[in-house]
Amino acid sequence: MTTLESTYLVWYCRACKKSCKTQPRTETACRCANPVRGMHPTKVTQTHEPEPRRLHALTDEEGRLRSLARKKQRVRVTYEAEVSEAWLVRGAGDEKRIQFIVTTADGSRHHVDPRLPGVRMEAIPATEEETS
Ligand SMILES: [Zn+2]
């Protein structure tokens, strides 16, 4: 860890001898109604230990998600949404395939092709819906 240094110019109040102005501006100690600012600023070098790097405490969920971030990791992605649109497309031959547009709780719409490998759509049971 390196120690940080910052240099300020500090003007002291002649009435209370406390700092009443700094440059760059930081908190000052003088609370006089009418500070009597000294003519000449004093150069003050402050050293301070850098704040320990903020380790964002990973939530369990975030940690869990990060552990999935590996190429070729096989995952199952599920989300809940409302069906907004459905239509049939004619596939190879005369086969008709159903396609969906679903809307998630944040209002965004997603195309779902149930024929994509691994995609599975199912109704959310009404009892579960109430609690979520
Ligand atoms: Zn003062």
Side-chain angles (χ1 to χ4, degrees):
M1 281 211 274
T2 51
T3 304
L4 300 173
E5 274 193 2
S6 42
T7 302
Y8 297 92
L9 292 179
V10 181
W11 285 261
Y12 291 95
C13 168
R14 287 205 240 180
C16 67
K17 313 278 190 230
K18 292 176 180 168
S19 59
C20 61
K21 182 191 172 180
T22 66
Q23 204 176 51
R25 195 188 280 258
T26 64
E27 210 169 314
T28 52
C30 165
R31 293 288 172 268
C32 299
N34 296 297
V36 190
R37 192 196 301 164
M39 293 287 287
H40 302 288
T42 307
K43 202 173 188 179
V44 173
T45 301
Q46 258 186 359
T47 59
H48 38 93
E49 297 299 321
E51 285 181 41
R53 187 170 298 166
R54 244 167 249 182
L55 288 173
H56 285 284
L58 284 185
T59 61
D60 288 352
E61 176 63 2
E62 188 63 20
R64 191 184 68 78
L65 288 173
R66 289 195 189 186
S67 75
L68 298 176
R70 271 172 289 144
K71 274 190 184 172
K72 302 206 171 160
Q73 169 72 47
R74 290 180 50 79
V75 295
R76 174 173 293 134
V77 180
T78 60
Y79 60 93
E80 297 181 1
E82 273 181 14
V83 173
S84 298
E85 289 172 44
W87 68 97
L88 293 168
V89 254
R90 188 153 304 190
D94 214 15
E95 186 195 15
K96 284 179 182 165
R97 302 170 166 196
I98 191 159
Q99 300 284 300
F100 292 89
I101 294 290
V102 299
T103 304
T104 44
D106 64 351
S108 53
R109 292 155 63 86
H110 310 268
H111 174 224
V112 179
D113 180 352
R115 287 300 199 93
L116 287 177
V119 172
R120 176 176 159 76
M121 279 182 81
E122 57 192 17
I124 298 173
T127 48
E128 220 178 286
E129 210 170 2
E130 280 164 24
T131 55
S132 63

